[in-house]
Amino acid sequence: MSDFLVVGGGVIGMMTTLQLADAGHAVTLLERGRCGREASWAGGGIVSPLYPWRHSAPISRLASWSEGSYPALALRLCEETGIDPEYRQKGLLYLSVADEAQAMGWAREVGKPLERVSSSFLYAKEPQVAPGLEEALWMPTLGSLRNPHLGQALRRRLEDMPRVTLREGCEVTGFRGAEGRVTGVETSEGPVAGARTIVCGGAWAAGLLERAGVALPIRPVKGQMILFKAPPGLVKRVVLRDGRYVIPRADGRVLAGSTLEERGFDKTPDDDARASLRESAIGIVPALAECEIEHHWAGLRPGSPDGVPFIGPAPGVEGLYVNAGHYRNGLVLAPASTHLLVDELLGREPILDPMPYRLETRLAASR
């Protein structure tokens, strides 16, 4: 029997497994498909909330801690697996920010570098950005990474760890136990026992937890993105305008995203979204009009009422824990949210106050 069962093989589940295994525990990771192939793969890889000043303090605290940890994590995974997550700290340019005063106030409060820059600075950094802009906001510390590569590196590392059992294509269908205690799970391949079980199921977490009598307001929120085959250097850093963004990759490709759609569990890409994303991207970098759209896809974010994740023990069910509901910021918050839960599981001093993320606290606030 494993010390821990982790249900869900996205970045949250894989980072949880990595940290528990690093601490010397036997962990079984159960994933119904292939690890890192849902929201963790489908996102853009920006290591910050899009407009961080518009988020609550609990999100900001997790995001700040995570941002500081990503350079070392990316380097570690690259050295241990040979797969480069392509962490790049090239900064972010915000175009046409309506709530600039709020942004600057937030930056002063949290000590984050953010400044208004002139058109000459803007076009020196990004010559291909839409002409005619007189100023922008510049956040020099923002980083991004290639999230599919991060998922591949995490998976490879877990495969090589002797204390980790990785079971893909193994769907969890329910929980085992009695008298208010979970002692394992039921799966498509039979029962699996574990001393403690952690649900990191993303958009599917609520449906699974219902089988243990735990009701969480987590829902799927569809997001579509496109990928341009662009010449290297056309875009050098993340540029954000009117809620849409372009993100460069090291090979020159440029991602553009994303939509927000309440469509249940439908992940079908559609032509209207493709056209809208293309138009937004060209509005940021006009030269993208000449570039081929190489790929168009959709993913499902785990939406929660205010974007704050649920992290901690499931109320009234011993042995069952949750880390889910990160909405648009799963990748952004993953290092901190997983570390926070592992701190609790192992009896360590928490990196942050855990109370704003506790299920009881969050459920009471949503009533």
Side-chain angles (χ1 to χ4, degrees), residues 2-3 17 20-28 158 160-165:
S2 293
D3 300 326
T17 302
L20 289 169
D22 279 344
H25 293 276
V27 189
T28 297
L158 296 179
D160 292 340
M161 299 182 84
R163 293 185 177 272
V164 172
T165 301

Side-chain angles (χ1 to χ4, degrees), residues 35-58:
C35 289
R37 291 295 299 176
E38 290 290 350
S40 302
W41 172 88
I46 302 172
V47 187
S48 168
L50 291 184
Y51 296 94
W53 54 89
R54 298 176 186 174
H55 292 274
S56 64

